[in-house]
PDB file of all heavy atoms in Angstrom:
ATOM      1  N   LEU A  17       6.309  16.164 -21.809  1.00  0.00           N
ATOM      2  CA  LEU A  17       5.777  17.128 -22.773  1.00  0.00           C
ATOM      3  C   LEU A  17       6.492  18.458 -22.691  1.00  0.00           C
ATOM      4  O   LEU A  17       6.057  19.437 -23.296  1.00  0.00           O
ATOM      5  CB  LEU A  17       4.264  17.326 -22.523  1.00  0.00           C
ATOM      6  CG  LEU A  17       3.405  16.055 -22.577  1.00  0.00           C
ATOM      7  CD1 LEU A  17       1.952  16.389 -22.262  1.00  0.00           C
ATOM      8  CD2 LEU A  17       3.511  15.386 -23.939  1.00  0.00           C
ATOM      9  N   ILE A  68     -16.866   0.843 -20.165  1.00  0.00           N
ATOM     10  CA  ILE A  68     -16.758   2.209 -20.670  1.00  0.00           C
ATOM     11  C   ILE A  68     -16.450   3.174 -19.536  1.00  0.00           C
ATOM     12  O   ILE A  68     -15.641   4.117 -19.680  1.00  0.00           O
ATOM     13  CB  ILE A  68     -18.059   2.604 -21.405  1.00  0.00           C
ATOM     14  CG1 ILE A  68     -18.244   1.723 -22.647  1.00  0.00           C
ATOM     15  CG2 ILE A  68     -18.042   4.071 -21.791  1.00  0.00           C
ATOM     16  CD1 ILE A  68     -19.587   1.903 -23.325  1.00  0.00           C
ATOM     17  N   ALA A  98      -8.799  -3.732 -17.912  1.00  0.00           N
ATOM     18  CA  ALA A  98      -8.452  -4.869 -18.765  1.00  0.00           C
ATOM     19  C   ALA A  98      -9.275  -6.092 -18.399  1.00  0.00           C
ATOM     20  O   ALA A  98      -9.770  -6.820 -19.280  1.00  0.00           O
ATOM     21  CB  ALA A  98      -6.957  -5.172 -18.647  1.00  0.00           C
ATOM     22  N   ARG A 309    -115.492   6.488 -44.991  1.00  0.00           N
ATOM     23  CA  ARG A 309    -115.922   5.495 -44.013  1.00  0.00           C
ATOM     24  C   ARG A 309    -117.099   4.694 -44.577  1.00  0.00           C
ATOM     25  O   ARG A 309    -117.905   5.201 -45.371  1.00  0.00           O
ATOM     26  CB  ARG A 309    -116.328   6.122 -42.678  1.00  0.00           C
ATOM     27  CG  ARG A 309    -115.200   6.872 -41.990  1.00  0.00           C
ATOM     28  CD  ARG A 309    -115.574   7.233 -40.567  1.00  0.00           C
ATOM     29  NE  ARG A 309    -115.663   6.064 -39.703  1.00  0.00           N
ATOM     30  CZ  ARG A 309    -114.601   5.527 -39.097  1.00  0.00           C
ATOM     31  NH1 ARG A 309    -113.394   6.037 -39.281  1.00  0.00           N
ATOM     32  NH2 ARG A 309    -114.751   4.475 -38.314  1.00  0.00           N
ATOM     33  N   TRP A 314    -127.478  -3.792 -40.147  1.00  0.00           N
ATOM     34  CA  TRP A 314    -128.367  -4.974 -40.133  1.00  0.00           C
ATOM     35  C   TRP A 314    -129.576  -4.599 -39.284  1.00  0.00           C
ATOM     36  O   TRP A 314    -129.458  -4.310 -38.103  1.00  0.00           O
ATOM     37  CB  TRP A 314    -127.639  -6.171 -39.541  1.00  0.00           C
ATOM     38  CG  TRP A 314    -128.518  -7.387 -39.334  1.00  0.00           C
ATOM     39  CD1 TRP A 314    -129.455  -7.565 -38.360  1.00  0.00           C
ATOM     40  CD2 TRP A 314    -128.510  -8.590 -40.104  1.00  0.00           C
ATOM     41  NE1 TRP A 314    -130.041  -8.791 -38.460  1.00  0.00           N
ATOM     42  CE2 TRP A 314    -129.468  -9.455 -39.545  1.00  0.00           C
ATOM     43  CE3 TRP A 314    -127.809  -9.023 -41.200  1.00  0.00           C
ATOM     44  CZ2 TRP A 314    -129.724 -10.722 -40.040  1.00  0.00           C
ATOM     45  CZ3 TRP A 314    -128.057 -10.288 -41.699  1.00  0.00           C
ATOM     46  CH2 TRP A 314    -129.009 -11.123 -41.130  1.00  0.00           C
ATOM     47  N   THR A 336    -121.487 -12.538 -29.575  1.00  0.00           N
ATOM     48  CA  THR A 336    -121.582 -11.115 -29.254  1.00  0.00           C
ATOM     49  C   THR A 336    -120.211 -10.455 -29.287  1.00  0.00           C
ATOM     50  O   THR A 336    -120.042  -9.350 -29.821  1.00  0.00           O
ATOM     51  CB  THR A 336    -122.228 -10.922 -27.872  1.00  0.00           C
ATOM     52  OG1 THR A 336    -123.522 -11.500 -27.880  1.00  0.00           O
ATOM     53  CG2 THR A 336    -122.316  -9.452 -27.523  1.00  0.00           C
ATOM     54  N   LEU A 368    -112.669   3.164 -44.877  1.00  0.00           N
ATOM     55  CA  LEU A 368    -112.518   2.483 -46.157  1.00  0.00           C
ATOM     56  C   LEU A 368    -111.116   1.922 -46.334  1.00  0.00           C
ATOM     57  O   LEU A 368    -110.912   0.921 -47.010  1.00  0.00           O
ATOM     58  CB  LEU A 368    -112.831   3.455 -47.307  1.00  0.00           C
ATOM     59  CG  LEU A 368    -114.314   3.821 -47.514  1.00  0.00           C
ATOM     60  CD1 LEU A 368    -114.447   4.820 -48.649  1.00  0.00           C
ATOM     61  CD2 LEU A 368    -115.148   2.573 -47.791  1.00  0.00           C
ATOM     62  N   GLN A 390    -109.200 -13.125 -23.571  1.00  0.00           N
ATOM     63  CA  GLN A 390    -109.676 -12.541 -22.324  1.00  0.00           C
ATOM     64  C   GLN A 390    -111.132 -12.897 -22.063  1.00  0.00           C
ATOM     65  O   GLN A 390    -111.553 -13.091 -20.928  1.00  0.00           O
ATOM     66  CB  GLN A 390    -109.505 -11.018 -22.381  1.00  0.00           C
ATOM     67  CG  GLN A 390    -108.057 -10.577 -22.415  1.00  0.00           C
ATOM     68  CD  GLN A 390    -107.935  -9.099 -22.685  1.00  0.00           C
ATOM     69  OE1 GLN A 390    -108.926  -8.388 -22.808  1.00  0.00           O
ATOM     70  NE2 GLN A 390    -106.697  -8.608 -22.771  1.00  0.00           N
TER      71      GLN A 390
END
Side-chain angles (χ1 to χ4, degrees):
L17 303 178
I68 296 172
R309 299 191 69 85
W314 173 285
T336 301
L368 287 178
Q390 293 171 2

